[in-house]
PDB file of all heavy atoms in Angstrom:
ATOM      1  N   VAL A 216      15.584 -10.365  24.238  1.00 91.00           N
ATOM      2  CA  VAL A 216      16.849 -10.638  23.552  1.00 91.00           C
ATOM      3  C   VAL A 216      16.834 -12.053  22.975  1.00 91.00           C
ATOM      4  O   VAL A 216      17.187 -12.278  21.814  1.00 91.00           O
ATOM      5  CB  VAL A 216      18.038 -10.475  24.525  1.00 91.00           C
ATOM      6  CG1 VAL A 216      19.328 -10.910  23.852  1.00 91.00           C
ATOM      7  CG2 VAL A 216      18.132  -9.042  24.996  1.00 91.00           C
ATOM      8  N   ASP A 217      16.377 -12.970  23.802  1.00 89.00           N
ATOM      9  CA  ASP A 217      16.342 -14.358  23.364  1.00 89.00           C
ATOM     10  C   ASP A 217      15.459 -14.511  22.127  1.00 89.00           C
ATOM     11  O   ASP A 217      15.797 -15.212  21.183  1.00 89.00           O
ATOM     12  CB  ASP A 217      15.813 -15.232  24.504  1.00 89.00           C
ATOM     13  CG  ASP A 217      16.041 -16.707  24.219  1.00 89.00           C
ATOM     14  OD1 ASP A 217      17.091 -17.026  23.617  1.00 89.00           O
ATOM     15  OD2 ASP A 217      15.182 -17.523  24.573  1.00 89.00           O
ATOM     16  N   PHE A 218      14.368 -13.799  22.141  1.00 85.00           N
ATOM     17  CA  PHE A 218      13.475 -13.885  20.992  1.00 85.00           C
ATOM     18  C   PHE A 218      14.128 -13.331  19.728  1.00 85.00           C
ATOM     19  O   PHE A 218      14.036 -13.923  18.654  1.00 85.00           O
ATOM     20  CB  PHE A 218      12.179 -13.127  21.267  1.00 85.00           C
ATOM     21  CG  PHE A 218      11.395 -12.858  20.028  1.00 85.00           C
ATOM     22  CD1 PHE A 218      10.753 -13.892  19.362  1.00 85.00           C
ATOM     23  CD2 PHE A 218      11.323 -11.582  19.506  1.00 85.00           C
ATOM     24  CE1 PHE A 218      10.050 -13.653  18.200  1.00 85.00           C
ATOM     25  CE2 PHE A 218      10.621 -11.345  18.341  1.00 85.00           C
ATOM     26  CZ  PHE A 218       9.978 -12.376  17.691  1.00 85.00           C
ATOM     27  N   LEU A 219      14.828 -12.204  19.884  1.00 86.00           N
ATOM     28  CA  LEU A 219      15.467 -11.612  18.716  1.00 86.00           C
ATOM     29  C   LEU A 219      16.573 -12.520  18.183  1.00 86.00           C
ATOM     30  O   LEU A 219      16.857 -12.541  16.987  1.00 86.00           O
ATOM     31  CB  LEU A 219      16.045 -10.240  19.075  1.00 86.00           C
ATOM     32  CG  LEU A 219      14.998  -9.138  19.245  1.00 86.00           C
ATOM     33  CD1 LEU A 219      15.596  -7.918  19.918  1.00 86.00           C
ATOM     34  CD2 LEU A 219      14.392  -8.745  17.910  1.00 86.00           C
ATOM     35  N   GLU A 220      17.199 -13.272  19.100  1.00 86.00           N
ATOM     36  CA  GLU A 220      18.273 -14.157  18.669  1.00 86.00           C
ATOM     37  C   GLU A 220      17.743 -15.431  18.026  1.00 86.00           C
ATOM     38  O   GLU A 220      18.257 -15.885  17.010  1.00 86.00           O
ATOM     39  CB  GLU A 220      19.180 -14.489  19.865  1.00 86.00           C
ATOM     40  CG  GLU A 220      20.197 -13.392  20.109  1.00 86.00           C
ATOM     41  CD  GLU A 220      21.010 -13.628  21.368  1.00 86.00           C
ATOM     42  OE1 GLU A 220      20.570 -14.424  22.230  1.00 86.00           O
ATOM     43  OE2 GLU A 220      22.074 -13.013  21.497  1.00 86.00           O
ATOM     44  N   ASN A 221      16.760 -16.020  18.644  1.00 84.00           N
ATOM     45  CA  ASN A 221      16.191 -17.257  18.084  1.00 84.00           C
ATOM     46  C   ASN A 221      14.686 -17.138  17.912  1.00 84.00           C
ATOM     47  O   ASN A 221      13.930 -17.719  18.684  1.00 84.00           O
ATOM     48  CB  ASN A 221      16.456 -18.470  19.000  1.00 84.00           C
ATOM     49  CG  ASN A 221      17.785 -18.349  19.710  1.00 84.00           C
ATOM     50  OD1 ASN A 221      18.829 -18.374  19.082  1.00 84.00           O
ATOM     51  ND2 ASN A 221      17.734 -18.196  21.022  1.00 84.00           N
ATOM     52  N   PRO A 222      14.265 -16.384  16.931  1.00 78.00           N
ATOM     53  CA  PRO A 222      12.810 -16.221  16.769  1.00 78.00           C
ATOM     54  C   PRO A 222      12.105 -17.548  16.468  1.00 78.00           C
ATOM     55  O   PRO A 222      10.971 -17.747  16.888  1.00 78.00           O
ATOM     56  CB  PRO A 222      12.691 -15.239  15.604  1.00 78.00           C
ATOM     57  CG  PRO A 222      14.021 -15.251  14.933  1.00 78.00           C
ATOM     58  CD  PRO A 222      15.027 -15.649  15.935  1.00 78.00           C
ATOM     59  N   ASP A 223      12.822 -18.442  15.784  1.00 79.00           N
ATOM     60  CA  ASP A 223      12.184 -19.705  15.383  1.00 79.00           C
ATOM     61  C   ASP A 223      11.712 -20.500  16.591  1.00 79.00           C
ATOM     62  O   ASP A 223      10.653 -21.099  16.575  1.00 79.00           O
ATOM     63  CB  ASP A 223      13.165 -20.560  14.571  1.00 79.00           C
ATOM     64  CG  ASP A 223      13.643 -19.789  13.357  1.00 79.00           C
ATOM     65  OD1 ASP A 223      12.925 -18.845  12.954  1.00 79.00           O
ATOM     66  OD2 ASP A 223      14.723 -20.116  12.827  1.00 79.00           O
ATOM     67  N   LYS A 224      12.551 -20.459  17.604  1.00 80.00           N
ATOM     68  CA  LYS A 224      12.228 -21.193  18.816  1.00 80.00           C
ATOM     69  C   LYS A 224      10.829 -20.816  19.313  1.00 80.00           C
ATOM     70  O   LYS A 224      10.075 -21.664  19.783  1.00 80.00           O
ATOM     71  CB  LYS A 224      13.273 -20.856  19.874  1.00 80.00           C
ATOM     72  CG  LYS A 224      13.263 -21.737  21.096  1.00 80.00           C
ATOM     73  CD  LYS A 224      14.489 -21.465  21.960  1.00 80.00           C
ATOM     74  CE  LYS A 224      14.157 -20.583  23.136  1.00 80.00           C
ATOM     75  NZ  LYS A 224      15.342 -20.164  23.883  1.00 80.00           N
ATOM     76  N   TYR A 225      10.493 -19.546  19.183  1.00 77.00           N
ATOM     77  CA  TYR A 225       9.207 -19.081  19.704  1.00 77.00           C
ATOM     78  C   TYR A 225       8.085 -19.282  18.701  1.00 77.00           C
ATOM     79  O   TYR A 225       7.002 -19.739  19.044  1.00 77.00           O
ATOM     80  CB  TYR A 225       9.287 -17.601  20.086  1.00 77.00           C
ATOM     81  CG  TYR A 225      10.141 -17.367  21.294  1.00 77.00           C
ATOM     82  CD1 TYR A 225      11.518 -17.250  21.181  1.00 77.00           C
ATOM     83  CD2 TYR A 225       9.569 -17.268  22.550  1.00 77.00           C
ATOM     84  CE1 TYR A 225      12.307 -17.039  22.293  1.00 77.00           C
ATOM     85  CE2 TYR A 225      10.349 -17.063  23.676  1.00 77.00           C
ATOM     86  CZ  TYR A 225      11.721 -16.950  23.537  1.00 77.00           C
ATOM     87  OH  TYR A 225      12.492 -16.747  24.633  1.00 77.00           O
ATOM     88  N   THR A 226       8.384 -18.942  17.445  1.00 73.00           N
ATOM     89  CA  THR A 226       7.320 -19.030  16.453  1.00 73.00           C
ATOM     90  C   THR A 226       6.933 -20.475  16.180  1.00 73.00           C
ATOM     91  O   THR A 226       5.792 -20.760  15.850  1.00 73.00           O
ATOM     92  CB  THR A 226       7.729 -18.335  15.135  1.00 73.00           C
ATOM     93  OG1 THR A 226       9.043 -18.783  14.795  1.00 73.00           O
ATOM     94  CG2 THR A 226       7.723 -16.838  15.296  1.00 73.00           C
ATOM     95  N   ALA A 227       7.906 -21.381  16.328  1.00 78.00           N
ATOM     96  CA  ALA A 227       7.626 -22.782  16.047  1.00 78.00           C
ATOM     97  C   ALA A 227       6.492 -23.314  16.910  1.00 78.00           C
ATOM     98  O   ALA A 227       5.657 -24.089  16.440  1.00 78.00           O
ATOM     99  CB  ALA A 227       8.887 -23.625  16.244  1.00 78.00           C
TER     100      ALA A 227
END
Side-chain angles (χ1 to χ4, degrees):
V216 174
D217 193 36
F218 164 71
L219 286 166
E220 277 174 341
N221 326 294
D223 303 338
K224 192 170 101 187
Y225 290 84
T226 47

